[in-house]
């Protein structure tokens, strides 16, 4: 009897912030659920973002102040899953790590929100993300079961090229495969992130665990990626899912593009070099006295004739920021379709209370979002003033490969929004393929060739 599952890869790119990206992940997962999909993979660094083209002001022997500001923005956009820098392993998965007094969970709550999405949709979710732990960032993959919540997490052991500047190396122990049963089909799944797939010994460590679902979230959009995925599938006799982001230059974060975000009234938002707080600042004139003291003169404010009205900070923004939370623009889900965004520097949102009594904010589409740059994923966009903004910095190339190396779906190119590849897979094909090839068993000559990985059990998981 065939043991088939419907699997999918989402070719989606990171949005302006984690709230918006999580909202998009939720919508995509619901679409997958309605289509009868059992399991879905999202790209590398989907939450937190892949900072493509960003140099972070680094050269051999030198780092710039501007680059440090870029890293500050990136660091704060990463996800805090409440894990330790060394990796809590099963203690993190089973929530045995200590929780701060007065809190019911560790981290920023995104783990809990992802668990709710998986539980409500009934879809097994695997997503790439950038994890913040201690003072370092890690490129990670999270496995979320609809029944059990987060059942595993692994960190990239070998960042590629310039990634090594911003991402720390994860522990090889996190390469441990995960087992689950979906619709009566037993899966042994594990992930190799991006160019980890060019590491033959790392691939073999997954084959040794008898993986039948091999996950390859990536940032590689070259035409050499598909042949590699076909090789992995044929070599390991395993189904391969690979998801990549497809993104244009205009959709990169403002701090990468070098264009400071704008407020609703056109004011430039700058970030103080000593703090992460975004503030609205006007241009000013600086003069020096004979005693070498500096005096900053704000320009005349044409919007107000009152003396002292030119304060250097937008009054509307101050009024909004100083308001208590209860007075900010929050609407119920029934009003979402009937109301227009207010003219404030914050986006309107829908509040939902979670089981752990913390609040999840889902932003409503707002074409004026200052942090979206030119990315208009849920609203109509204005024509770009710069033809270069329409250039793809990653063309995607997501794909699904069968256990004998055959292409089942994709590669998907130049689809920036709504890209979803779906395939119905018979996982018994993995066993059929073992008739003539089992690279970790009958075809391994393990009497002569041996692999040991520090901290990793290579035997198939129970």
């Amino acid at each position: 009897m065939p043991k088939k599952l419907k699997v999918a890869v989402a070719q989606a790119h990171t949005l302006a912030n984690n709230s918006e990206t999580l909202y998009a992940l939720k919508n995509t997962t619901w679409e997958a659920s309605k289509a009868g999909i059992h399991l879905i993979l999202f790209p590398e660094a989907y939450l937190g973002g892949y900072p493509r083209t960003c140099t972070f002001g680094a050269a051999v022997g030198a780092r710039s102040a501007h680059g440090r500001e870029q890293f500050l923005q990136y660091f704060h956009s990463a996800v805090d899953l409440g894990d330790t820098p060394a990796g809590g392993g099963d203690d993190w998965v089973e929530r045995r790590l200590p929780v701060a007094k007065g809190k019911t969970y560790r981290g920023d709550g995104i783990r809990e929100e992802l668990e709710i999405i998986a539980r409500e949709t009934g879809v097994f979710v695997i997503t790439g993300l950038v994890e913040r732990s201690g003072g370092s960032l890690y490129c990670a993959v999270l496995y979320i079961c609809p029944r059990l919540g987060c059942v595993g997490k692994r960190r990239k052991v070998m960042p590629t090229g310039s990634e090594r500047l911003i991402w720390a190396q994860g522990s090889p122990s996190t390469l441990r495969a995960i087992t689950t049963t979906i619709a009566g089909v037993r899966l042994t799944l594990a992930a190799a992130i991006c160019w980890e797939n060019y590491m033959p010994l790392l691939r073999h460590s997954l084959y040794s665990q008898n993986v039948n679902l091999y996950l390859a979230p990536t940032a590689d959009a070259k035409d050499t990626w598909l042949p590699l995925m076909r090789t992995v599938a044929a070599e390991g006799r395993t189904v391969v899912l690979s998801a990549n982001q497809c993104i244009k230059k205009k959709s990169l974060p403002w701090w990468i593009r070098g264009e400071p975000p704008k407020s609703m009234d056109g004011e430039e938002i700058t970030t103080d070099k000593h703090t992460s707080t975004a503030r609205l600042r006007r241009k000013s004139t600086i003069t020096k006295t004979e005693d070498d003291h500096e005096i900053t003169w704000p320009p005349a404010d044409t919007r107000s004739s009152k003396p002292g009205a030119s304060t250097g900070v937008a009054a509307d923004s101050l009024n909004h920021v100083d308001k208590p939370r209860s007075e900010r623009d929050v609407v119920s889900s029934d009003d979402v379709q009937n109301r227009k965004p207010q003219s404030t520097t914050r986006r309107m949102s829908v509040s939902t209370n979670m089981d752990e009594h913390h609040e999840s904010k889902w932003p409503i589409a707002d074409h004026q979002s200052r942090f979206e740059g030119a990315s208009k994923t849920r609203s109509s966009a204005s024509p770009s003033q710069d033809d270069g903004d329409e250039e793809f910095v990653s063309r995607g190339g997501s794909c699904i490969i069968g256990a004998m190396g055959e292409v089942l779906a994709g590669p998907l190119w130049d689809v920036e929004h709504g890209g979803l590849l779906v395939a119905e897979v018979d996982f018994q094909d993995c066993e059929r393929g073992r008739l003539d090839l089992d690279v970790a068993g009958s075809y391994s000559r393990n009497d002569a060739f041996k692999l040991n990985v520090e901290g990793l059990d290579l035997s198939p998981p129970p």
Side-chain angles (χ1 to χ4, degrees), residues 325-336:
R325 181 173 181 165
S326 61
E327 296 179 22
R328 297 181 186 170
D329 295 311
V330 179
V331 298
S332 68
S333 56
D334 294 335
D335 297 331
V336 170

Side-chain angles (χ1 to χ4, degrees), residues 87-164:
D90 289 340
D91 286 340
W92 177 82
V93 172
E94 300 296 334
R95 302 178 189 273
R96 293 195 292 261
L97 296 176
V99 176
K101 186 176 181 180
K103 294 196 68 176
T104 56
Y105 59 91
R106 292 173 62 94
D108 57 17
I110 287 183
R111 169 183 176 167
E112 288 71 21
E113 294 183 29
L114 287 167
E115 289 176 332
I116 289 173
I117 291 170
R119 183 170 67 246
E120 291 181 347
T121 61
V123 177
F124 196 111
V125 176
I126 306 102
T127 185
L129 52 85
V130 178
E131 180 187 5
R132 181 176 72 247
S133 183
S136 294
L137 301 180
Y138 300 85
C139 180
V141 169
L142 198 60
Y143 311 99
I144 311 112
C145 173
R147 294 177 291 106
L148 303 176
C150 288
V151 291
K153 172 172 64 70
R154 63 147 311 206
R155 291 170 174 171
K156 194 173 187 177
V157 300
M158 190 67 253
T160 302
S162 298
E163 296 172 359
R164 296 172 202 162

Side-chain angles (χ1 to χ4, degrees), residues 6-329:
K6 211 170 184 179
V7 297
V9 297
Q11 184 161 290
H13 71 72
T14 306
L15 300 181
N17 51 53
N18 283 332
S19 293
E20 292 196 17
T21 307
L22 201 58
Y23 183 86
L25 183 149
K26 178 183 180 182
N27 286 344
T28 300
T29 306
W30 269 113
E31 291 176 10
S33 177
K34 293 172 184 175
I37 291 167
H38 299 95
L39 179 146
I40 187 169
L41 172 68
F42 289 87
E44 177 182 14
Y46 182 52
L47 289 165
Y50 188 85
R52 195 176 293 275
T53 75
C54 188
T55 66
F56 291 97
V60 176
R63 267 73 59 194
S64 72
H66 173 67
R68 295 186 189 279
E69 288 304 313
Q70 289 181 315
F71 183 73
L72 178 66
Q73 297 293 331
Y74 189 52
F75 190 86
H76 284 217
S77 71
V79 175
D80 181 2
L81 295 172
D83 201 358
T84 64
D90 289 340
D91 286 340
W92 177 82
V93 172
E94 300 296 334
R95 302 178 189 273
R96 293 195 292 261
L97 296 176
V99 176
K101 186 176 181 180
K103 294 196 68 176
T104 56
Y105 59 91
R106 292 173 62 94
D108 57 17
I110 287 183
R111 169 183 176 167
E112 288 71 21
E113 294 183 29
L114 287 167
E115 289 176 332
I116 289 173
I117 291 170
R119 183 170 67 246
E120 291 181 347
T121 61
V123 177
F124 196 111
V125 176
I126 306 102
T127 185
L129 52 85
V130 178
E131 180 187 5
R132 181 176 72 247
S133 183
S136 294
L137 301 180
Y138 300 85
C139 180
V141 169
L142 198 60
Y143 311 99
I144 311 112
C145 173
R147 294 177 291 106
L148 303 176
C150 288
V151 291
K153 172 172 64 70
R154 63 147 311 206
R155 291 170 174 171
K156 194 173 187 177
V157 300
M158 190 67 253
T160 302
S162 298
E163 296 172 359
R164 296 172 202 162
L165 175 68
I166 54 174
W167 294 344
Q169 293 179 335
S171 169
S173 64
T174 65
L175 285 163
R176 187 62 175 161
I178 301 297
T179 59
T180 188
T181 300
I182 302 176
V185 180
R186 178 178 169 82
L187 296 179
T188 302
L189 55 93
I193 306 171
C194 202
W195 274 25
E196 286 183 334
N197 289 281
Y198 280 117
M199 301 172 69
L201 296 182
L202 187 146
R203 294 205 309 263
H204 194 78
S205 73
L206 302 188
Y207 302 152
S208 298
Q209 297 176 69
N210 202 31
V211 166
N212 62 354
L213 181 57
Y214 187 109
L215 305 160
T218 187
D220 190 333
K222 293 188 289 294
D223 56 10
T224 51
W225 186 254
L226 181 65
L228 176 62
M229 293 298 96
R230 297 188 68 180
T231 296
V232 169
E235 184 177 64
R237 292 300 195 248
T238 177
V239 176
V240 174
L241 306 185
S242 183
N244 191 12
Q245 300 192 36
C246 179
I247 185 168
K248 293 181 179 179
K249 181 180 177 182
K250 69 179 184 180
S251 298
L252 293 172
W254 61 267
W255 50 268
I256 292 181
R257 298 182 65 199
E259 299 176 3
K262 303 286 185 179
S263 70
M264 298 308 171
D265 59 0
E267 294 285 355
E268 188 175 289
I269 299 175
T270 61
T271 304
D272 193 312
K273 66 187 294 184
H274 300 297
T275 179
S276 62
T277 305
R279 302 182 302 182
L280 299 179
R281 183 178 297 166
R282 298 176 185 274
K283 294 181 180 179
S284 57
T285 302
I286 299 176
T287 59
K288 285 190 176 182
T289 67
E290 294 179 355
D291 297 326
D292 205 31
H293 296 151
E294 289 187 351
I295 301 177
T296 302
W297 304 100
D301 190 345
T302 58
R303 295 175 298 177
S304 173
S305 59
K306 295 179 181 180
S310 179
T311 62
V313 181
D316 290 344
S317 176
L318 279 179
N319 290 339
H320 176 79
V321 171
D322 289 341
K323 286 181 181 179
R325 181 173 181 165
S326 61
E327 296 179 22
R328 297 181 186 170
D329 295 311

